[in-house]
C-alpha cells in the first residue's frame, strides 16, 4: 500500500492478515447496565485486552510487519509517552526489529521502564514531545530507521480498522459506533471498515471539550494547531499535524456526528466502568459512556458499540476522577 493513497477496505483486510496471531481478536460483550439504562443493546469492544492494553498495537504491528527484511534490520523508531510507544516496542520485539522510542525528560520513569521492559531502547531527549520527535527523525535521516507514526499513516490506520471488521462480524446488525477522536487513526480506520461493509452504520466521534484538535480542524476546513489541555482523557490530546496526509480527510469522510464531553462527564463514565462493568479504564476509553449520558443520546431499540480503547491509567488519576464524579 502506498503511503499517499487513501485507506481502503481491502487495505484493512490485508492488515488483518499481517497482524493475525500477534494482536488479539478482542471480545465484544454486552453491557447489561448500559443496555438497561438506555433501553438499547449496548456492547463494549474491549481493546483493553490487547497484550499492551490498548488498540495501538494493531496499527504498530501492521506498519512494522509491512517492512522488508533490510528495513527491519535497520530498526524502527518513534516518539511517544504512552500507548503508541509501548505498542511499537512490543511489535518490534515480536517481529525481530531493533526499536528506539524517543521520550522527553518529562516522561515519568515508570513509563520509561515499561518501554525498556519490552526490549526497546528508551532514549530520553529534551523537555518536550517535539524535542523527542526531532531525535526520532534524526534516526531516520542518519541511521536509516523507519519512523512509525502514531496515527497519520495508512498502514497505522488500516491496522486500527481491523477493529471494525471484528465489530461487523460479531454484530452484523450494528446501528451505531461511538469512538474516541484524537488524531483520527482509530475513528478513520473503524469508520472505513464498518461503512465499507454497511454504509448505514452511524459513526460518532467523541472528544473532550478543550484541546480537541481534529474537530477544530474540521470546523475550519484544514489542519490547525491547538493548545493541548489537561484532561482525564489525556490519550485524546495532541495535534493532528499541520501536514496531515491521511486521517483528516478520512475522518471528514466517514464521521457522521461528533460530540464533545466535559471533564465531570468523563469522570462519571470512568467510575461507571469501575463500579458497573468491573473494569479500570483510562478516560479516553470511557468517553462513549460520557457522550451517551451528557448529550442524552436517544439510542432506544438500537444496537450500539462503544470502543473501550485502553487501560493506561494509574491509581492517582482514577482517584482524581472518582473525586470529580462525586462533586
Amino acid at each position: 500500500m502506498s503511503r499517499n493513497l487513501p485507506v481502503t477496505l481491502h487495505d484493512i483486510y490485508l492488515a488483518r492478515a499481517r497482524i493475525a496471531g500477534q494482536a488479539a481478536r478482542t471480545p465484544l460483550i454486552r453491557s447489561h447496565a448500559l443496555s438497561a439504562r438506555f433501553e438499547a443493546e449496548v456492547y463494549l469492544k474491549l481493546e483493553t485486552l490487547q497484550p499492551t492494553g490498548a488498540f495501538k498495537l494493531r496499527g504498530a504491528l501492521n506498519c512494522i510487519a509491512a517492512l522488508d527484511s533490510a528495513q527491519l534490520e535497520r530498526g524502527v523508531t518513534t516518539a511517544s509517552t504512552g500507548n503508541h510507544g509501548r505498542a511499537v516496542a512490543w511489535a518490534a520485539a515480536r517481529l525481530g526489529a531493533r526499536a528506539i522510542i524517543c521520550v522527553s525528560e518529562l516522561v515519568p520513569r515508570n513509563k520509561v521502564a515499561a518501554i525498556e521492559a519490552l526490549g526497546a531502547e528508551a532514549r530520553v531527549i529534551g523537555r518536550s514531545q517535539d524535542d523527542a520527535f526531532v531525535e526520532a527523525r534524526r534516526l531516520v535521516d542518519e541511521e536509516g530507521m523507519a519512523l512509525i507514526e502514531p496515527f497519520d499513516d495508512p498502514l497505522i490506520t488500516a491496522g486500527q480498522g481491523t477493529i471494525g471488521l471484528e465489530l461487523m462480524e460479531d454484530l452484523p446488525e450494528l446501528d451505531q459506533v461511538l469512538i474516541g477522536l484524537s488524531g483520527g487513526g482509530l475513528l478513520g480506520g473503524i469508520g472505513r471498515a464498518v461503512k465499507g461493509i454497511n454504509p448505514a452504520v452511524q459513526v460518532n466521534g467523541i472528544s473532550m471539550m478543550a484541546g480537541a484538535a481534529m474537530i477544530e480542524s474540521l470546523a475550519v476546513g484544514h489542519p490547525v494547531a491547538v493548545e493541548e489541555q489537561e484532561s482525564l482523557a489525556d490519550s485524546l490530546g495532541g495535534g493532528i499535524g499541520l501536514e496531515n496526509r491521511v486521517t483528516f480527510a478520512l475522518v471528514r469522510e466517514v464521521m457522521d456526528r461528533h460530540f464533545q464531553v466535559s471533564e465531570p462527564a468523563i469522570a462519571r463514565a470512568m467510575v461507571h466502568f469501575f463500579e458497573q462493568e468491573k473494569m479500570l479504564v483510562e478516560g479516553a476509553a470511557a468517553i462513549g459512556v460520557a457522550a451517551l449520558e451528557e448529550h442524552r443520546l436517544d439510542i432506544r431499540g438500537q444496537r450500539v458499540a462503544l470502543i473501550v480503547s485502553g487501560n493506561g491509567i494509574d491509581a492517582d488519576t482514577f482517584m482524581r476522577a472518582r473525586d470529580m464524579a462525586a462533586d
Side-chain angles (χ1 to χ4, degrees):
M1 174 172 44
S2 167
R3 296 198 175 197
N4 294 314
L5 292 177
V7 177
T8 67
L9 184 59
H10 182 240
D11 294 326
I12 297 171
Y13 276 105
L14 290 176
R16 178 156 73 173
R18 288 194 195 96
I19 71 176
Q22 306 285 343
R25 192 190 198 288
T26 56
L28 182 70
I29 67 168
R30 183 179 183 273
S31 167
H32 300 289
L34 293 172
S35 296
R37 180 177 174 187
F38 293 101
E39 299 179 47
E41 295 295 311
V42 181
Y43 293 84
L44 308 175
K45 181 62 169 168
L46 301 183
E47 287 299 293
T48 50
L49 298 181
Q50 288 294 349
T52 57
F55 75 93
K56 288 283 191 179
L57 184 61
R58 295 174 183 261
L61 274 167
N62 188 44
C63 200
I64 297 173
L67 299 174
D68 60 31
S69 57
Q71 184 60 71
L72 287 173
E73 181 70 23
R74 289 191 295 271
V76 299
T77 187
T78 195
S80 171
T81 62
N83 292 334
H84 178 63
R86 290 193 297 275
V88 171
W90 193 95
R94 289 299 289 261
L95 298 173
R98 175 188 177 213
I100 299 177
I101 312 300
C102 300
V103 301
S104 81
E105 296 170 2
L106 301 181
V107 175
R109 177 60 206 171
N110 67 306
K111 289 191 174 183
V112 175
I115 290 170
E116 293 172 335
L118 292 169
E121 176 188 344
R123 186 165 294 183
V124 181
I125 301 291
R127 297 279 298 173
S128 70
Q129 184 81 339
D130 287 342
D131 292 338
F133 259 112
V134 169
E135 173 64 7
R137 293 188 177 97
R138 186 196 67 78
L139 290 168
V140 173
D141 294 340
E142 297 183 11
E143 299 187 23
M145 301 188 86
L147 180 63
I148 309 301
E149 297 278 2
F151 57 86
D152 190 34
D153 184 294
L155 288 164
I156 294 288
T157 303
Q160 323 306 21
T162 60
I163 297 170
L165 299 183
E166 294 172 15
L167 280 177
M168 298 306 293
E169 290 167 351
D170 292 346
L171 190 63
E173 307 88 352
L174 179 67
D175 294 304
Q176 296 192 48
V177 57
L178 279 70
I179 310 167
L181 179 62
S182 179
L186 181 63
L187 185 144
I190 293 175
R192 172 66 83 217
V194 299
K195 285 185 174 290
I197 295 169
N198 179 8
V201 175
Q202 188 167 74
V203 174
N204 303 293
I206 320 295
S207 301
M208 60 283 196
M209 286 292 187
M214 179 63 80
I215 198 60
E216 294 199 25
S217 298
L218 290 170
V220 299
H222 59 83
V224 296
V226 174
E227 183 179 354
E228 193 166 347
Q229 304 287 327
E230 183 177 354
S231 173
L232 288 169
D234 58 336
S235 295
L236 300 183
I240 67 168
L242 297 180
E243 303 300 323
N244 187 289
R245 303 167 301 138
V246 177
T247 59
F248 175 76
L250 184 56
V251 169
R252 182 164 54 183
E253 178 184 346
V254 303
M255 186 171 69
D256 295 295
R257 296 189 297 173
H258 177 266
F259 303 96
Q260 289 177 275
V261 292
S262 67
E263 293 300 303
I266 298 171
R268 290 191 297 271
M270 294 167 70
V271 171
H272 165 87
F273 269 95
F274 184 74
E275 294 183 345
Q276 302 296 320
E277 314 294 346
K278 308 307 179 186
M279 301 175 194
L280 187 60
V281 304
E282 61 190 77
I287 206 160
V289 172
L292 288 174
E293 176 198 73
E294 190 161 45
H295 291 274
R296 300 182 180 181
L297 300 184
D298 185 0
I299 59 171
R300 285 174 295 177
Q302 297 188 40
R303 297 174 182 88
V304 179
L306 312 183
I307 307 302
V308 186
S309 53
N311 60 12
I313 183 173
D314 58 28
D316 289 343
T317 302
F318 178 73
M319 294 299 290
R320 181 159 56 93
R322 192 175 68 173
D323 291 344
M324 185 182 297
D327 288 345

